[in-house]
Amino acid sequence: MNHQLGHPSVVTALKEAIQSAELQAITFRDYMDICLYSEPYGYYRNERPKIGKQGDFYTSSSIGSVMGEIVASFICKQLNSESPHIEPVHIVEWGGGNGRMALHIMGEIKRTDPAVYARLTYTIIESSTYHRQQQRTALEEHAQVIQFSSETEWLAQTPKDQVYVLANELLDAFPIHRIRYKDMLFQESYVKWQEEEQIFQEIWLTISSRHILDFLERTKVQWLDGQIGEINLEAESWVSRVAERIQSGSCIIIDYGDTAEELFAPHRYNGTLMCYRKHQAQDNPFIHQGEQDMTSHVNFSSCQLVAKQSGFTYCKLQTQREFLVEQGILQRLQDHFDPNPFSEVSKRNRSIRQLLLSDQMSELFKVFIASKHAVINEKKVSR
């Protein structure tokens, strides 16, 4: 038996999908989907901690409460600049992980803008039972403000004003199509099972999906022979579905990624797909199925294109550092001499520096904001 194979139930689900497929192979997108999301042992479905020291990776909400506070202050600024102060406010966090980001956002709004907190509903869209349980426990003090919803339920509701949808490290974990440019043709990655060697093997076949071909046609970048890249069609469809529910407000995406020119540039010859397990990063997705995180960089050019097509009137992409500085993070650094490195002020200053200076997060991470303004503003503009 191959000791690098992952959870037996995930491996079985993969083999069954491959055996029942016409080509005895499934697309890499379907392979990644089963590894991450199959019930109950896919990576995002199992009951192991994913975030923090005991998990496989850190997120910006693992580094103190500052990121959540800054997002809260951004939302309150937007609300106070253009909205009637009586309307309900809806914050919708998609895939809230262990609930820490929600805790920091609601705590800050309650502390700095109780009037907004009084008309706030904070909806968490979370498909993992394990994470929903963690969130309920973490967010007990805000129980009266919180509601849980499934994606289907939430998307089926009518559009509302003052909706702020937050996706913190969500889109990078959507299953992607893995593409290769070879001998002047594009191919798609498929996965098959090799019984003799007991391994999952990647094979490259002609692209059959019209969606992928359309995507490649409109992405005007020059690929090198043999170059590999990822196409995240689900991120595009997510942006357009969310847009339908926002009459006014913003969609805020915090994730690592870049523009198409950067993602498909020659120095990205092998693409951006990475796997994380116990804080070790490696690029082999064909081992540890269900036991390692798999992610790829978000293509913000395609998110922006879809956002504009879906009625967002304002889009802005910046690095996490630019966003934090613009939203006043430097004013939150406290000047002090505190000999105690474990005091609250010392810890807070450290976490602010880490968000701003750590190469991994501050530059790789981007903040993409797409907004629709309330109709009251448009009336003033039109004669």
Side-chain angles (χ1 to χ4, degrees):
M1 184 63 189
N2 183 339
H3 295 303
Q4 288 196 303
L5 287 178
H7 193 284
S9 124
V10 177
V11 170
T12 302
L14 286 164
K15 285 191 206 169
E16 284 170 1
I18 288 167
Q19 277 151 13
S20 60
E22 198 183 336
L23 302 163
Q24 299 287 286
I26 55 176
T27 61
F28 183 84
R29 184 236 159 263
D30 291 349
Y31 169 84
M32 183 170 170
D33 191 40
I34 293 170
C35 288
L36 295 181
Y37 297 103
S38 61
E39 294 285 359
Y41 297 109
Y43 181 76
Y44 286 114
R45 295 290 178 261
N46 67 47
E47 300 208 349
R48 275 183 41 242
K50 322 284 184 293
I51 302 167
K53 197 180 275 186
Q54 269 68 55
D56 302 301
F57 54 86
Y58 290 101
T59 68
S60 54
S61 62
S62 324
I63 306 174
S65 57
V66 179
M67 191 70 192
E69 290 168 19
I70 294 279
V71 169
S73 118
F74 167 80
I75 291 172
C76 290
K77 267 187 222 162
Q78 278 218 324
L79 284 166
N80 293 326
S81 73
E82 67 168 41
S83 69
H85 295 288
I86 46 173
E87 297 287 324
V89 175
H90 312 273
I91 297 179
V92 182
E93 189 182 352
W94 211 286
N98 55 17
R100 284 181 60 122
M101 181 70 110
L103 184 66
H104 303 153
I105 290 174
M106 282 184 280
E108 179 74 353
I109 294 177
K110 191 175 184 179
R111 190 177 67 79
T112 60
D113 207 330
V116 168
Y117 187 82
R119 52 200 174 100
L120 173 65
T121 307
Y122 198 108
T123 303
I124 298 182
I125 297 177
E126 179 55 74
S127 51
S128 149
T129 319
Y130 170 65
H131 281 141
R132 212 170 314 143
Q133 200 42 59
Q134 282 191 314
Q135 290 156 8
R136 276 186 210 284
T137 310
L139 300 168
E140 239 164 282
E141 64 190 276
H142 301 287
Q144 74 291 354
V145 178
I146 285 188
Q147 57 180 32
F148 289 89
S149 177
S150 75
E151 179 174 332
T152 317
E153 284 168 348
W154 187 78
L155 289 169
Q157 293 166 29
T158 52
K160 290 190 170 73
D161 279 316
Q162 303 190 159
V163 176
Y164 292 86
V165 174
L166 173 65
N168 181 37
E169 292 190 54
L170 172 78
L171 277 61
D172 67 86
F174 286 173
I176 48 93
H177 294 271
R178 196 162 138 95
I179 306 298
R180 180 172 78 170
Y181 183 67
K182 190 85 180 125
D183 303 326
M184 299 176 72
L185 287 172
F186 283 105
Q187 304 166 315
E188 180 170 9
S189 162
Y190 281 72
V191 182
K192 65 178 195 175
W193 172 249
Q194 287 282 28
E195 187 59 46
E196 320 75 67
E197 296 160 62
Q198 295 280 295
I199 56 168
F200 289 98
Q201 186 190 14
E202 181 170 44
I203 56 171
W204 295 93
L205 301 172
T206 311
I207 293 176
S208 56
S209 154
R210 188 67 251 167
H211 279 321
I212 296 175
L213 293 169
D214 288 347
F215 183 100
L216 289 163
E217 248 159 59
R218 66 163 198 261
T219 309
K220 300 277 181 271
V221 287
Q222 193 58 55
W223 292 56
L224 299 175
D225 190 62
Q227 185 171 343
I228 292 172
E230 301 86 24
I231 293 182
N232 189 337
L233 295 178
E234 260 147 86
E236 293 194 345
S237 96
W238 182 86
V239 170
S240 72
R241 293 198 315 274
V242 162
E244 285 171 19
R245 281 284 280 105
I246 299 178
Q247 201 156 283
S248 70
S250 295
C251 175
I252 305 158
I253 299 171
I254 304 170
D255 224 318
Y256 46 88
D258 224 309
T259 59
E261 296 74 44
E262 171 61 26
L263 293 182
F264 300 117
H267 67 270
R268 296 263 185 218
Y269 188 77
N270 293 313
T272 67
L273 186 82
M274 288 303 284
C275 305
Y276 296 90
R277 185 167 179 258
K278 298 177 180 165
H279 299 286
Q280 299 292 307
Q282 53 88 18
D283 61 3
N284 180 0
F286 302 107
I287 54 175
H288 304 311
Q289 294 81 3
E291 294 170 353
Q292 63 178 1
D293 191 15
M294 295 157 77
T295 75
S296 73
H297 280 30
V298 174
N299 180 339
F300 284 109
S301 300
S302 84
C303 290
Q304 182 151 338
L305 183 72
V306 171
K308 287 184 170 159
Q309 288 169 348
S310 308
F312 284 111
T313 47
Y314 167 89
C315 294
K316 183 170 189 173
L317 176 66
Q318 47 192 167
T319 65
Q320 179 173 287
R321 178 188 310 205
E322 288 164 344
F323 171 75
L324 292 168
V325 169
E326 196 171 281
Q327 297 306 319
I329 193 172
L330 296 175
Q331 283 71 61
R332 290 170 187 250
L333 265 175
Q334 292 176 33
D335 277 337
H336 73 304
F337 172 69
D338 190 336
N340 174 9
F342 302 109
S343 75
E344 282 313 306
V345 172
S346 292
K347 284 199 289 205
R348 190 177 169 75
N349 282 347
R350 254 200 316 280
S351 71
I352 290 176
R353 287 194 191 97
Q354 201 176 339
L355 281 173
L356 286 174
L357 302 175
S358 89
D359 296 336
Q360 281 305 298
M361 284 197 164
S362 61
E363 293 300 314
L364 275 181
F365 268 69
K366 306 291 184 295
V367 177
F368 175 69
I369 295 168
S371 303
K372 291 182 185 181
H373 294 298
V375 178
I376 44 164
N377 276 14
E378 287 164 23
K379 281 181 185 157
K380 289 178 195 164
V381 174
S382 60
R383 287 211 303 249

